Amino acid sequence: MTRSASVSRNTNETKIEVSINLDGQGSAKLNTGIGFLDHMLDQVARHGMFDLEVTAKGDLHIDAHHTVEDVGIVLGQAFNKAIGDKKGITRYGSAIIPLDEALSRVVLDISGRPGLEFDVEFKRAIIGEFDVDLIHEFFQGFVNHANITMHIDNLKGDNSHHQAETIYKAFGRALKMAVCIDPKISGITPSTKGSL
């Protein structure tokens, strides 16, 4: 059975539609109005092997904050819906990804408990026109609504674009690992509690 979901969210600040297939081929159709965010989401789809569609219309005349945060929220909601009852999943995932001088690590647990530890010091505040503070906002929105625990650490890096890209690639790879079905526990919830 394909694990997929679509979610829409409309507010006075943004209108967002997200579709995700956790058992996809890594294809992405992205139109958030923010080129850098589209580039990062493409990394998640390609490295996570998720099929991902994201359309967003936000109040970009103010700034990108609401759009980036809300895309994280809706992506988290779609992920949570797509993962279903979590039976048979690996549950934990981790990845360490380099890009030239930059190196980032993402470790996560599809735990049913939202939590984010974000240890990243970007070397500059803006990538093109993109405020790097919004990367934290994106991931906070995601974990809160995906109900996962995630640690993100940038271990090295001098170029903020490289730092960000390694984070999103590692996120995709770690998520791919965590959602994989483990044949040894088919039909079993991977928790001593019996639920996640």
Side-chain angles (χ1 to χ4, degrees):
M1 183 169 121
T2 300
R3 296 175 296 170
S4 61
S6 296
V7 174
S8 300
R9 183 175 192 259
N10 295 319
T11 72
N12 291 334
E13 298 168 340
T14 62
K15 297 186 185 327
I16 297 171
E17 294 181 6
V18 171
S19 295
I20 189 169
N21 176 359
L22 300 180
D23 303 304
Q25 300 298 314
S27 69
K29 293 180 184 175
L30 308 165
N31 185 8
T32 65
I34 304 165
F36 185 77
L37 180 60
D38 288 349
H39 179 44
M40 294 299 104
L41 292 171
D42 190 40
Q43 303 304 321
V44 175
R46 301 272 175 147
H47 290 274
M49 293 302 293
F50 308 128
D51 292 342
L52 183 61
E53 293 186 25
V54 181
T55 304
K57 292 187 181 182
D59 52 3
L60 297 180
H61 61 286
I62 296 173
D63 69 9
H65 186 111
H66 298 140
T67 302
V68 174
E69 180 181 24
D70 288 2
V71 166
I73 288 169
V74 181
L75 181 60
Q77 291 171 337
F79 174 85
N80 194 40
K81 189 174 175 184
I83 197 69
D85 63 12
K86 304 173 189 167
K87 289 184 177 176
I89 64 168
T90 301
R91 178 178 168 177
Y92 299 98
S94 63
I96 300 174
I97 298 293
L99 174 57
D100 297 343
E101 88 301 340
L103 183 68
S104 293
R105 173 179 60 210
V106 173
V107 182
L108 58 85
D109 175 10
I110 303 176
S111 60
R113 297 181 307 277
L116 176 65
E117 293 293 327
F118 188 84
D119 189 5
V120 181
E121 292 184 21
F122 287 103
K123 296 300 181 180
R124 67 179 193 268
I126 303 292
I127 302 170
E129 298 178 354
F130 188 87
D131 180 351
V132 298
D133 286 346
L134 300 182
I135 294 172
H136 179 273
E137 297 304 317
F138 170 87
F139 284 111
Q140 190 69 68
F142 178 83
V143 301
N144 285 349
H145 293 270
N147 290 317
I148 71 169
T149 301
M150 183 159 58
H151 290 247
I152 299 174
D153 300 286
N154 175 242
L155 306 174
K156 295 180 181 178
D158 294 318
N159 180 303
S160 291
H161 187 126
H162 293 171
Q163 289 175 285
E165 192 163 329
T166 56
I167 289 166
Y168 279 88
K169 285 178 176 176
F171 170 57
R173 291 271 171 168
L175 209 55
K176 175 186 173 186
M177 180 187 295
V179 303
C180 279
I181 299 298
D182 182 345
K184 289 184 177 182
I185 59 167
S186 179
I188 298 170
T189 302
S191 171
T192 55
K193 295 184 185 76
S195 67
L196 288 171

